[in-house]
Amino acid sequence: GLGGKLGDALCTLLEEIVVPDAAAQQQARVATWSRRESKWTAGDVVERIPAQLLLARLGEGAARYVLDRCTGIDNEPVVATGPPKSHMEMKSITMRDRDAARGWARMLAVNLSARITADRSSFHRHPKTLTLAFSTQSNFALHSKSGMFPPRSFSAGGLEERVLTATLSLLDASRATFPLTRLSLQASNFVMVESGSHAITSFLQPSRTLPDSSRPVPDSQTLPDSSRPVLDFPGHAQPPSGLKLGAGFAVPVSEAPVSAALVSVAP
């Protein structure tokens, strides 16, 4: 910021430029007990102090810092903080009875459910803990009651009703004394979950096609002569050309027609 010694230096420089008379400068300083409550603004720094004078009085680094701040320039990189650890909805207002508290609880539940739905869409997670906190008019200390957050649902409306039911259960279990002065609802302890759309997409994907070398042969398929397994059993003839092979290999006992007795040999 531009407080402290740097702010004092800027105020002094502005006073010298705008109020050249030394006596008038002293009166201006006495009029305000602190220069931090001065009337000077960032616009005054840019418009009234020449850049060369600012550079001569503050040095290159400080002068550039002041000009950047006063013109709204910030070259510092943005640091990503990641997903929030919790989401909270809060209302500070006097709630004189349970009906009033239930009405505000409904609003908090609806708003919190919307935020959880958006959070799940962005970060694919769901909270485990729901916490209701309140303070009373007779005791400003914060009291809280926690329970399990309702299971996730692909319907935002359904989640709202479940969160409301859980919230009212916590409110009843807390045995709060009215009037209340504050009521808050918080979701925390997030765990990663698989999104429903991803699960459905995976379910609808076609099965992987097996290569020819590993694809099973259907019962009705006729193997070509070159790929038909050769069975070398003494006293048994090979099956005639064109014979369809099923779960087992049908091997004729003799040279008789196919209607003769067959011996089934498991593959």
Side-chain angles (χ1 to χ4, degrees), residues 64-114:
R64 172 55 56 190
Y65 175 83
V66 168
L67 288 177
D68 285 347
R69 289 296 181 271
C70 291
T71 54
I73 298 175
D74 188 355
N75 294 320
E76 295 182 2
V78 176
V79 179
T81 58
K85 293 183 178 180
S86 63
H87 288 291
M88 185 180 72
E89 291 290 326
M90 186 268 292
K91 188 66 178 179
S92 293
I93 193 173
T94 301
M95 306 171 204
R96 300 194 177 279
D97 52 34
R98 187 168 299 276
D99 289 340
R102 290 173 69 92
W104 287 113
R106 175 177 290 276
M107 183 198 73
L108 298 179
V110 170
N111 293 343
L112 184 62
S113 299

Side-chain angles (χ1 to χ4, degrees), residues 166-244:
T167 301
L168 297 180
S169 297
L170 291 176
L171 181 61
D172 293 338
S174 66
R175 298 181 180 179
T177 57
F178 294 89
L180 302 181
T181 56
R182 173 181 172 178
L183 186 66
S184 67
L185 196 61
Q186 184 183 56
S188 59
N189 295 331
F190 284 84
V191 293
M192 303 302 295
V193 296
E194 184 179 11
S195 64
S197 59
H198 176 72
I200 294 175
T201 302
S202 300
F203 178 76
L204 295 178
Q205 286 181 351
S207 58
R208 182 175 61 88
T209 302
L210 296 175
D212 291 340
S213 59
S214 60
R215 186 183 303 145
V217 179
D219 291 348
S220 61
Q221 179 177 343
T222 301
L223 292 176
D225 293 341
S226 60
S227 59
R228 186 186 310 132
V230 177
L231 302 178
D232 187 12
F233 294 150
H236 297 284
Q238 298 299 324
S241 176
L243 180 63
K244 296 181 179 181

Side-chain angles (χ1 to χ4, degrees), residues 10 13-14 17 44-58 63 67:
L10 292 173
L13 189 54
L14 284 167
I17 295 173
D44 292 324
V45 174
V46 175
E47 295 177 0
R48 297 176 181 271
I49 303 179
Q52 292 301 324
L53 178 59
L54 193 65
L55 179 63
R57 295 290 286 267
L58 301 181
L67 288 177

